[in-house]
Amino acid sequence: MYTTIQKWGNSQAVRIPKSILEKAKLQESDQVELRVQEGNVIIIPVGKRKSLAERIAEYEGDYVCQEWDTEKPVGKEIW
């Protein structure tokens, strides 16, 4: 697939087609690292975002909701 480098404000940009993003498992707002190796521009995903379902699935243990002590007031907080 071919594309063109285009002006975007004071920078240059390349549009990445949806099909390429899907194959690379990337989406809008994902952080990436750009590198140049042997004259080629390489795009490397940085820390994939996890969905809430993925985060919950990774959780091990029992969650116990409880209050915590925030210490005594130091100013004009309501006690």
Side-chain angles (χ1 to χ4, degrees):
M1 184 173 294
Y2 294 92
T3 188
T4 304
I5 297 173
Q6 299 176 330
K7 186 167 180 63
W8 188 15
N10 290 328
S11 301
Q12 302 296 311
V14 174
R15 289 187 189 187
I16 303 173
K18 182 178 179 181
S19 62
I20 299 292
L21 290 175
E22 288 173 349
K23 287 179 184 176
K25 297 181 181 170
L26 291 171
Q27 59 187 357
E28 183 178 339
S29 300
D30 281 353
Q31 288 191 341
V32 295
E33 176 185 350
L34 296 178
R35 289 187 189 170
V36 177
Q37 292 180 349
E38 299 177 13
N40 297 307
V41 177
I42 313 271
I43 301 173
I44 303 164
V46 176
K48 297 293 246 171
R49 292 183 302 176
K50 295 181 183 177
S51 69
L52 178 58
E54 290 170 325
R55 291 174 190 229
I56 291 171
E58 289 177 352
Y59 181 76
E60 295 177 6
D62 294 324
Y63 176 74
V64 179
C65 182
Q66 55 187 340
E67 294 183 24
W68 66 91
D69 185 6
T70 58
E71 302 295 324
K72 294 186 178 199
V74 293
K76 295 182 179 180
E77 296 94 339
I78 297 174
W79 179 253

